[in-house]
Amino acid sequence: MTRDDLITMLREQTPACGPARDALVAGADFVVWDGLVPANRHAGVFRARMRRSLKRGRTVDGLADSVDILLRAGKEPLRTGSIDAVDRSSWFTIFLNSTATAVVACCGGRQPITMEPAGAPGPAPGPAGDNKPADGI
Protein backbone atom coordinates (compact mmCIF):
# COMPACT_ATOMS: atom_id res chain seq x y z
CA MET A 1 0.00 0.00 0.00
CA THR A 2 1.28 3.44 -0.85
CA ARG A 3 0.91 6.64 1.14
CA ASP A 4 -1.43 8.00 -1.55
CA ASP A 5 -3.59 4.84 -1.33
CA LEU A 6 -4.00 5.31 2.42
CA ILE A 7 -4.67 9.05 2.08
CA THR A 8 -7.47 8.23 -0.38
CA MET A 9 -8.94 5.54 1.90
CA LEU A 10 -9.14 7.88 4.92
CA ARG A 11 -12.46 9.55 4.28
CA GLU A 12 -14.84 10.46 7.10
CA GLN A 13 -15.31 7.07 8.78
CA THR A 14 -14.62 8.75 12.16
CA PRO A 15 -13.62 12.26 13.31
CA ALA A 16 -9.97 11.14 13.48
CA CYS A 17 -9.74 10.37 9.75
CA GLY A 18 -9.23 13.98 8.66
CA PRO A 19 -6.34 14.66 11.06
CA ALA A 20 -4.80 11.25 10.21
CA ARG A 21 -5.01 12.10 6.50
CA ASP A 22 -3.43 15.51 7.18
CA ALA A 23 -0.58 13.84 9.08
CA LEU A 24 0.09 11.54 6.12
CA VAL A 25 0.08 14.45 3.69
CA ALA A 26 2.66 16.13 5.96
CA GLY A 27 4.93 13.07 5.76
CA ALA A 28 3.90 10.97 8.76
CA ASP A 29 5.29 7.45 9.11
CA PHE A 30 2.76 4.67 8.70
CA VAL A 31 2.61 0.90 8.87
CA VAL A 32 -0.08 -1.69 8.17
CA TRP A 33 0.48 -5.11 9.71
CA ASP A 34 -0.26 -8.38 7.91
CA GLY A 35 -2.07 -10.20 10.72
CA LEU A 36 -5.84 -10.49 10.78
CA VAL A 37 -7.88 -10.13 13.98
CA PRO A 38 -11.68 -10.29 14.30
CA ALA A 39 -13.20 -6.83 14.60
CA ASN A 40 -15.09 -7.71 17.78
CA ARG A 41 -11.81 -8.61 19.53
CA HIS A 42 -10.46 -5.18 18.64
CA ALA A 43 -13.71 -3.68 19.92
CA GLY A 44 -13.19 -5.23 23.35
CA VAL A 45 -9.60 -4.00 23.62
CA PHE A 46 -10.40 -0.50 22.43
CA ARG A 47 -13.51 -0.24 24.60
CA ALA A 48 -11.26 -0.88 27.62
CA ARG A 49 -8.83 1.77 26.37
CA MET A 50 -11.71 4.19 26.03
CA ARG A 51 -12.79 3.59 29.63
CA ARG A 52 -9.24 4.13 30.91
CA SER A 53 -8.88 7.31 28.89
CA LEU A 54 -12.15 8.68 30.21
CA LYS A 55 -11.12 7.89 33.79
CA ARG A 56 -8.00 9.97 33.18
CA GLY A 57 -10.08 12.80 31.78
CA ARG A 58 -8.75 12.34 28.26
CA THR A 59 -10.71 11.72 25.11
CA VAL A 60 -9.31 10.12 21.98
CA ASP A 61 -10.70 11.39 18.66
CA GLY A 62 -12.77 8.77 16.89
CA LEU A 63 -12.38 6.14 19.62
CA ALA A 64 -16.06 5.79 20.54
CA ASP A 65 -17.03 5.76 16.84
CA SER A 66 -14.33 3.17 16.11
CA VAL A 67 -15.55 0.90 18.92
CA ASP A 68 -19.11 1.11 17.53
CA ILE A 69 -17.92 0.33 13.99
CA LEU A 70 -15.82 -2.61 15.23
CA LEU A 71 -18.74 -4.03 17.23
CA ARG A 72 -21.01 -3.83 14.17
CA ALA A 73 -18.33 -5.55 12.05
CA GLY A 74 -18.53 -8.58 14.36
CA LYS A 75 -16.16 -11.40 13.39
CA GLU A 76 -14.95 -9.72 10.18
CA PRO A 77 -11.15 -10.12 10.02
CA LEU A 78 -9.34 -6.79 10.03
CA ARG A 79 -5.79 -5.54 9.65
CA THR A 80 -4.46 -2.81 11.90
CA GLY A 81 -1.97 -0.09 11.31
CA SER A 82 -0.63 3.09 12.78
CA ILE A 83 0.24 6.58 11.65
CA ASP A 84 2.80 8.66 13.58
CA ALA A 85 3.14 12.37 12.82
CA VAL A 86 6.56 13.57 11.69
CA ASP A 87 7.07 15.49 14.95
CA ARG A 88 5.58 12.61 17.00
CA SER A 89 2.92 14.97 18.39
CA SER A 90 0.06 12.85 17.04
CA TRP A 91 -0.62 9.15 16.53
CA PHE A 92 -3.47 7.22 14.98
CA THR A 93 -4.61 3.61 14.93
CA ILE A 94 -6.26 2.51 11.72
CA PHE A 95 -8.40 -0.55 11.06
CA LEU A 96 -8.59 -1.86 7.51
CA ASN A 97 -10.48 -4.65 5.77
CA SER A 98 -8.68 -7.97 5.31
CA THR A 99 -7.26 -7.02 1.93
CA ALA A 100 -6.13 -3.57 3.12
CA THR A 101 -8.17 -1.88 0.40
CA ALA A 102 -10.51 0.09 2.70
CA VAL A 103 -10.19 1.86 6.03
CA VAL A 104 -12.97 0.69 8.34
CA ALA A 105 -12.21 2.96 11.33
CA CYS A 106 -9.58 5.31 12.72
CA CYS A 107 -8.87 6.76 16.13
CA GLY A 108 -6.13 8.83 17.72
CA GLY A 109 -4.92 12.35 17.88
CA ARG A 110 -2.48 14.47 19.84
CA GLN A 111 -0.14 12.69 22.21
CA PRO A 112 -0.81 13.56 25.84
CA ILE A 113 1.69 15.94 27.32
CA THR A 114 3.65 14.19 30.02
CA MET A 115 4.89 16.21 32.92
CA GLU A 116 7.18 15.21 35.75
CA PRO A 117 5.18 14.12 38.75
CA ALA A 118 5.07 16.53 41.68
CA GLY A 119 7.93 15.93 44.06
CA ALA A 120 10.17 14.41 41.41
CA PRO A 121 13.80 15.16 42.12
CA GLY A 122 15.23 17.98 40.09
CA PRO A 123 18.81 19.17 39.80
CA ALA A 124 20.55 19.48 43.13
CA PRO A 125 20.77 23.12 44.30
CA GLY A 126 24.13 24.75 44.84
CA PRO A 127 25.33 26.11 48.17
CA ALA A 128 22.93 28.43 50.03
CA GLY A 129 22.57 31.77 48.27
CA ASP A 130 24.21 30.38 45.13
CA ASN A 131 21.98 29.90 42.08
CA LYS A 132 24.52 27.63 40.39
CA PRO A 133 24.00 23.87 40.24
CA ALA A 134 25.84 21.78 42.80
CA ASP A 135 28.67 21.04 40.37
CA GLY A 136 29.51 24.76 40.29
CA ILE A 137 29.07 25.23 36.54
mmCIF file of all heavy atoms in Angstrom, residues 96-136:
data_model
loop_
_atom_site.group_PDB
_atom_site.id
_atom_site.type_symbol
_atom_site.label_atom_id
_atom_site.label_comp_id
_atom_site.label_asym_id
_atom_site.label_seq_id
_atom_site.Cartn_x
_atom_site.Cartn_y
_atom_site.Cartn_z
ATOM 1 N N LEU A 96 -8.324 -1.685 8.939
ATOM 2 C CA LEU A 96 -8.591 -1.859 7.515
ATOM 3 C C LEU A 96 -9.234 -3.218 7.266
ATOM 4 O O LEU A 96 -9.067 -4.147 8.069
ATOM 5 C CB LEU A 96 -7.297 -1.774 6.709
ATOM 6 C CG LEU A 96 -6.535 -0.458 6.827
ATOM 7 C CD1 LEU A 96 -5.415 -0.604 7.826
ATOM 8 C CD2 LEU A 96 -6.013 -0.025 5.491
ATOM 9 N N ASN A 97 -9.914 -3.351 6.133
ATOM 10 C CA ASN A 97 -10.481 -4.647 5.774
ATOM 11 C C ASN A 97 -9.345 -5.658 5.557
ATOM 12 O O ASN A 97 -8.169 -5.294 5.565
ATOM 13 C CB ASN A 97 -11.412 -4.530 4.566
ATOM 14 C CG ASN A 97 -10.678 -4.147 3.291
ATOM 15 O OD1 ASN A 97 -9.485 -3.874 3.272
ATOM 16 N ND2 ASN A 97 -11.429 -4.104 2.204
ATOM 17 N N SER A 98 -9.700 -6.902 5.367
ATOM 18 C CA SER A 98 -8.684 -7.968 5.315
ATOM 19 C C SER A 98 -7.721 -7.836 4.141
ATOM 20 O O SER A 98 -6.586 -8.305 4.215
ATOM 21 C CB SER A 98 -9.358 -9.338 5.279
ATOM 22 O OG SER A 98 -10.154 -9.463 4.109
ATOM 23 N N THR A 99 -8.132 -7.185 3.083
ATOM 24 C CA THR A 99 -7.256 -7.019 1.928
ATOM 25 C C THR A 99 -6.535 -5.666 1.930
ATOM 26 O O THR A 99 -5.815 -5.350 0.983
ATOM 27 C CB THR A 99 -8.065 -7.167 0.617
ATOM 28 O OG1 THR A 99 -9.126 -6.203 0.622
ATOM 29 C CG2 THR A 99 -8.619 -8.574 0.475
ATOM 30 N N ALA A 100 -6.748 -4.898 2.977
ATOM 31 C CA ALA A 100 -6.132 -3.572 3.117
ATOM 32 C C ALA A 100 -6.467 -2.662 1.944
ATOM 33 O O ALA A 100 -5.635 -1.896 1.472
ATOM 34 C CB ALA A 100 -4.625 -3.678 3.320
ATOM 35 N N THR A 101 -7.729 -2.742 1.497
ATOM 36 C CA THR A 101 -8.174 -1.876 0.402
ATOM 37 C C THR A 101 -9.197 -0.842 0.866
ATOM 38 O O THR A 101 -9.640 -0.025 0.061
ATOM 39 C CB THR A 101 -8.792 -2.717 -0.735
ATOM 40 O OG1 THR A 101 -9.843 -3.528 -0.198
ATOM 41 C CG2 THR A 101 -7.729 -3.601 -1.394
ATOM 42 N N ALA A 102 -9.563 -0.888 2.160
ATOM 43 C CA ALA A 102 -10.513 0.090 2.698
ATOM 44 C C ALA A 102 -10.251 0.292 4.182
ATOM 45 O O ALA A 102 -10.020 -0.678 4.917
ATOM 46 C CB ALA A 102 -11.951 -0.382 2.492
ATOM 47 N N VAL A 103 -10.269 1.548 4.602
ATOM 48 C CA VAL A 103 -10.187 1.859 6.030
ATOM 49 C C VAL A 103 -11.588 1.702 6.600
ATOM 50 O O VAL A 103 -12.550 2.253 6.075
ATOM 51 C CB VAL A 103 -9.645 3.287 6.270
ATOM 52 C CG1 VAL A 103 -9.796 3.686 7.735
ATOM 53 C CG2 VAL A 103 -8.191 3.388 5.841
ATOM 54 N N VAL A 104 -11.688 0.931 7.678
ATOM 55 C CA VAL A 104 -12.969 0.692 8.340
ATOM 56 C C VAL A 104 -13.180 1.720 9.449
ATOM 57 O O VAL A 104 -14.276 2.236 9.631
ATOM 58 C CB VAL A 104 -13.007 -0.738 8.910
ATOM 59 C CG1 VAL A 104 -14.262 -0.994 9.719
ATOM 60 C CG2 VAL A 104 -12.855 -1.758 7.792
ATOM 61 N N ALA A 105 -12.119 2.017 10.209
ATOM 62 C CA ALA A 105 -12.214 2.960 11.328
ATOM 63 C C ALA A 105 -10.835 3.527 11.613
ATOM 64 O O ALA A 105 -9.814 2.984 11.185
ATOM 65 C CB ALA A 105 -12.781 2.268 12.568
ATOM 66 N N CYS A 106 -10.820 4.629 12.365
ATOM 67 C CA CYS A 106 -9.577 5.308 12.717
ATOM 68 C C CYS A 106 -9.795 6.057 14.017
ATOM 69 O O CYS A 106 -10.838 6.681 14.227
ATOM 70 C CB CYS A 106 -9.204 6.282 11.602
ATOM 71 S SG CYS A 106 -7.798 7.342 11.949
ATOM 72 N N CYS A 107 -8.795 5.983 14.892
ATOM 73 C CA CYS A 107 -8.866 6.759 16.134
ATOM 74 C C CYS A 107 -7.472 7.260 16.486
ATOM 75 O O CYS A 107 -6.477 6.735 16.003
ATOM 76 C CB CYS A 107 -9.455 5.932 17.280
ATOM 77 S SG CYS A 107 -8.559 4.429 17.672
ATOM 78 N N GLY A 108 -7.420 8.285 17.301
ATOM 79 C CA GLY A 108 -6.132 8.826 17.720
ATOM 80 C C GLY A 108 -6.173 10.327 17.797
ATOM 81 O O GLY A 108 -7.225 10.943 17.874
ATOM 82 N N GLY A 109 -5.016 10.904 17.790
ATOM 83 C CA GLY A 109 -4.918 12.352 17.875
ATOM 84 C C GLY A 109 -3.632 12.768 18.555
ATOM 85 O O GLY A 109 -2.642 12.056 18.525
ATOM 86 N N ARG A 110 -3.682 13.912 19.202
ATOM 87 C CA ARG A 110 -2.484 14.469 19.838
ATOM 88 C C ARG A 110 -2.030 13.593 20.988
ATOM 89 O O ARG A 110 -2.841 13.102 21.761
ATOM 90 C CB ARG A 110 -2.752 15.881 20.323
ATOM 91 C CG ARG A 110 -3.143 16.767 19.140
ATOM 92 C CD ARG A 110 -2.740 18.194 19.176
ATOM 93 N NE ARG A 110 -1.458 18.552 19.683
ATOM 94 C CZ ARG A 110 -0.370 18.755 18.939
ATOM 95 N NH1 ARG A 110 -0.402 18.546 17.658
ATOM 96 N NH2 ARG A 110 0.746 19.148 19.482
ATOM 97 N N GLN A 111 -0.727 13.416 21.087
ATOM 98 C CA GLN A 111 -0.142 12.688 22.212
ATOM 99 C C GLN A 111 -0.381 13.494 23.478
ATOM 100 O O GLN A 111 -0.292 14.714 23.464
ATOM 101 C CB GLN A 111 1.378 12.530 22.028
ATOM 102 C CG GLN A 111 1.759 11.646 20.892
ATOM 103 C CD GLN A 111 1.688 10.172 21.255
ATOM 104 O OE1 GLN A 111 1.095 9.770 22.235
ATOM 105 N NE2 GLN A 111 2.290 9.365 20.424
ATOM 106 N N PRO A 112 -0.671 12.811 24.580
ATOM 107 C CA PRO A 112 -0.810 13.561 25.837
ATOM 108 C C PRO A 112 0.536 14.147 26.235
ATOM 109 O O PRO A 112 1.581 13.568 25.967
ATOM 110 C CB PRO A 112 -1.274 12.504 26.836
ATOM 111 C CG PRO A 112 -0.901 11.202 26.228
ATOM 112 C CD PRO A 112 -0.859 11.395 24.738
ATOM 113 N N ILE A 113 0.473 15.301 26.848
ATOM 114 C CA ILE A 113 1.694 15.942 27.323
ATOM 115 C C ILE A 113 2.035 15.324 28.660
ATOM 116 O O ILE A 113 1.216 15.292 29.573
ATOM 117 C CB ILE A 113 1.505 17.461 27.462
ATOM 118 C CG1 ILE A 113 1.197 18.051 26.089
ATOM 119 C CG2 ILE A 113 2.727 18.106 28.086
ATOM 120 C CD1 ILE A 113 0.762 19.497 26.141
ATOM 121 N N THR A 114 3.242 14.791 28.753
ATOM 122 C CA THR A 114 3.650 14.189 30.019
ATOM 123 C C THR A 114 4.467 15.198 30.789
ATOM 124 O O THR A 114 5.320 15.896 30.242
ATOM 125 C CB THR A 114 4.469 12.912 29.795
ATOM 126 O OG1 THR A 114 5.573 13.226 28.949
ATOM 127 C CG2 THR A 114 3.632 11.842 29.129
ATOM 128 N N MET A 115 4.167 15.285 32.057
ATOM 129 C CA MET A 115 4.886 16.207 32.922
ATOM 130 C C MET A 115 5.484 15.405 34.060
ATOM 131 O O MET A 115 4.955 14.369 34.434
ATOM 132 C CB MET A 115 3.932 17.273 33.456
ATOM 133 C CG MET A 115 3.280 18.078 32.332
ATOM 134 S SD MET A 115 2.102 19.273 32.927
ATOM 135 C CE MET A 115 3.170 20.441 33.709
ATOM 136 N N GLU A 116 6.593 15.892 34.602
ATOM 137 C CA GLU A 116 7.179 15.209 35.745
ATOM 138 C C GLU A 116 6.210 15.243 36.904
ATOM 139 O O GLU A 116 5.568 16.263 37.154
ATOM 140 C CB GLU A 116 8.485 15.882 36.158
ATOM 141 C CG GLU A 116 9.659 15.461 35.332
ATOM 142 C CD GLU A 116 10.955 15.947 35.942
ATOM 143 O OE1 GLU A 116 10.953 16.897 36.724
ATOM 144 O OE2 GLU A 116 11.983 15.341 35.623
ATOM 145 N N PRO A 117 6.069 14.124 37.600
ATOM 146 C CA PRO A 117 5.179 14.119 38.748
ATOM 147 C C PRO A 117 5.666 15.077 39.826
ATOM 148 O O PRO A 117 6.861 15.322 39.962
ATOM 149 C CB PRO A 117 5.222 12.675 39.242
ATOM 150 C CG PRO A 117 6.313 11.997 38.495
ATOM 151 C CD PRO A 117 6.724 12.877 37.357
ATOM 152 N N ALA A 118 4.710 15.624 40.581
ATOM 153 C CA ALA A 118 5.065 16.531 41.677
ATOM 154 C C ALA A 118 5.985 15.810 42.637
ATOM 155 O O ALA A 118 5.808 14.638 42.932
ATOM 156 C CB ALA A 118 3.799 16.987 42.397
ATOM 157 N N GLY A 119 6.990 16.515 43.108
ATOM 158 C CA GLY A 119 7.929 15.930 44.064
ATOM 159 C C GLY A 119 9.051 15.150 43.408
ATOM 160 O O GLY A 119 9.881 14.574 44.092
ATOM 161 N N ALA A 120 9.078 15.118 42.072
ATOM 162 C CA ALA A 120 10.167 14.412 41.405
ATOM 163 C C ALA A 120 11.455 15.176 41.636
ATOM 164 O O ALA A 120 11.471 16.405 41.629
ATOM 165 C CB ALA A 120 9.891 14.296 39.910
ATOM 166 N N PRO A 121 12.544 14.461 41.857
ATOM 167 C CA PRO A 121 13.799 15.165 42.120
ATOM 168 C C PRO A 121 14.258 15.953 40.902
ATOM 169 O O PRO A 121 14.183 15.469 39.789
ATOM 170 C CB PRO A 121 14.783 14.049 42.451
ATOM 171 C CG PRO A 121 14.176 12.795 41.920
ATOM 172 C CD PRO A 121 12.689 13.025 41.855
ATOM 173 N N GLY A 122 14.681 17.141 41.147
ATOM 174 C CA GLY A 122 15.226 17.983 40.094
ATOM 175 C C GLY A 122 16.723 18.083 40.294
ATOM 176 O O GLY A 122 17.307 17.336 41.078
ATOM 177 N N PRO A 123 17.372 19.022 39.606
ATOM 178 C CA PRO A 123 18.812 19.174 39.804
ATOM 179 C C PRO A 123 19.090 19.612 41.241
ATOM 180 O O PRO A 123 18.320 20.355 41.843
ATOM 181 C CB PRO A 123 19.219 20.243 38.790
ATOM 182 C CG PRO A 123 17.957 20.905 38.359
ATOM 183 C CD PRO A 123 16.834 19.961 38.647
ATOM 184 N N ALA A 124 20.181 19.124 41.760
ATOM 185 C CA ALA A 124 20.554 19.477 43.133
ATOM 186 C C ALA A 124 20.925 20.951 43.198
ATOM 187 O O ALA A 124 21.636 21.457 42.329
ATOM 188 C CB ALA A 124 21.726 18.621 43.588
ATOM 189 N N PRO A 125 20.428 21.694 44.188
ATOM 190 C CA PRO A 125 20.766 23.121 44.302
ATOM 191 C C PRO A 125 22.216 23.285 44.737
ATOM 192 O O PRO A 125 22.791 22.408 45.362
ATOM 193 C CB PRO A 125 19.795 23.622 45.370
ATOM 194 C CG PRO A 125 19.463 22.417 46.181
ATOM 195 C CD PRO A 125 19.539 21.245 45.240
ATOM 196 N N GLY A 126 22.766 24.431 44.401
ATOM 197 C CA GLY A 126 24.133 24.749 44.843
ATOM 198 C C GLY A 126 24.119 25.178 46.291
ATOM 199 O O GLY A 126 23.098 25.102 46.974
ATOM 200 N N PRO A 127 25.250 25.643 46.791
ATOM 201 C CA PRO A 127 25.334 26.111 48.167
ATOM 202 C C PRO A 127 24.318 27.223 48.415
ATOM 203 O O PRO A 127 23.912 27.922 47.502
ATOM 204 C CB PRO A 127 26.763 26.619 48.303
ATOM 205 C CG PRO A 127 27.510 25.996 47.168
ATOM 206 C CD PRO A 127 26.516 25.739 46.099
ATOM 207 N N ALA A 128 23.918 27.412 49.662
ATOM 208 C CA ALA A 128 22.926 28.430 50.025
ATOM 209 C C ALA A 128 23.312 29.772 49.439
ATOM 210 O O ALA A 128 24.457 30.186 49.534
ATOM 211 C CB ALA A 128 22.804 28.517 51.543
ATOM 212 N N GLY A 129 22.336 30.440 48.844
ATOM 213 C CA GLY A 129 22.569 31.767 48.267
ATOM 214 C C GLY A 129 23.212 31.707 46.897
ATOM 215 O O GLY A 129 23.414 32.723 46.269
ATOM 216 N N ASP A 130 23.559 30.549 46.415
ATOM 217 C CA ASP A 130 24.215 30.381 45.126
ATOM 218 C C ASP A 130 23.198 29.779 44.162
ATOM 219 O O ASP A 130 22.630 28.734 44.420
ATOM 220 C CB ASP A 130 25.419 29.447 45.270
ATOM 221 C CG ASP A 130 26.232 29.322 44.000
ATOM 222 O OD1 ASP A 130 25.831 29.881 42.961
ATOM 223 O OD2 ASP A 130 27.268 28.638 44.053
ATOM 224 N N ASN A 131 22.945 30.412 43.042
ATOM 225 C CA ASN A 131 21.982 29.901 42.084
ATOM 226 C C ASN A 131 22.593 28.914 41.108
ATOM 227 O O ASN A 131 21.956 28.475 40.189
ATOM 228 C CB ASN A 131 21.342 31.050 41.297
ATOM 229 C CG ASN A 131 20.396 31.850 42.172
ATOM 230 O OD1 ASN A 131 19.829 31.307 43.116
ATOM 231 N ND2 ASN A 131 20.237 33.118 41.832
ATOM 232 N N LYS A 132 23.863 28.571 41.290
ATOM 233 C CA LYS A 132 24.519 27.628 40.393
ATOM 234 C C LYS A 132 24.181 26.202 40.820
ATOM 235 O O LYS A 132 23.949 25.932 41.992
ATOM 236 C CB LYS A 132 26.035 27.816 40.462
ATOM 237 C CG LYS A 132 26.509 29.146 39.925
ATOM 238 C CD LYS A 132 27.997 29.216 40.018
ATOM 239 C CE LYS A 132 28.492 30.583 39.608
ATOM 240 N NZ LYS A 132 29.918 30.737 39.842
ATOM 241 N N PRO A 133 24.188 25.254 39.861
ATOM 242 C CA PRO A 133 24.000 23.873 40.236
ATOM 243 C C PRO A 133 25.114 23.415 41.167
ATOM 244 O O PRO A 133 26.164 24.040 41.277
ATOM 245 C CB PRO A 133 24.073 23.119 38.896
ATOM 246 C CG PRO A 133 23.966 24.153 37.841
ATOM 247 C CD PRO A 133 24.340 25.459 38.450
ATOM 248 N N ALA A 134 24.899 22.293 41.810
ATOM 249 C CA ALA A 134 25.839 21.782 42.803
ATOM 250 C C ALA A 134 27.229 21.546 42.233
ATOM 251 O O ALA A 134 28.220 21.628 42.960
ATOM 252 C CB ALA A 134 25.305 20.476 43.408
ATOM 253 N N ASP A 135 27.340 21.295 40.917
ATOM 254 C CA ASP A 135 28.666 21.042 40.367
ATOM 255 C C ASP A 135 29.432 22.335 40.094
ATOM 256 O O ASP A 135 30.570 22.290 39.616
ATOM 257 C CB ASP A 135 28.557 20.205 39.087
ATOM 258 C CG ASP A 135 27.775 20.875 37.983
ATOM 259 O OD1 ASP A 135 27.377 22.043 38.122
ATOM 260 O OD2 ASP A 135 27.558 20.208 36.959
ATOM 261 N N GLY A 136 28.818 23.473 40.371
ATOM 262 C CA GLY A 136 29.506 24.759 40.291
ATOM 263 C C GLY A 136 29.585 25.341 38.896
ATOM 264 O O GLY A 136 30.208 26.373 38.709
#
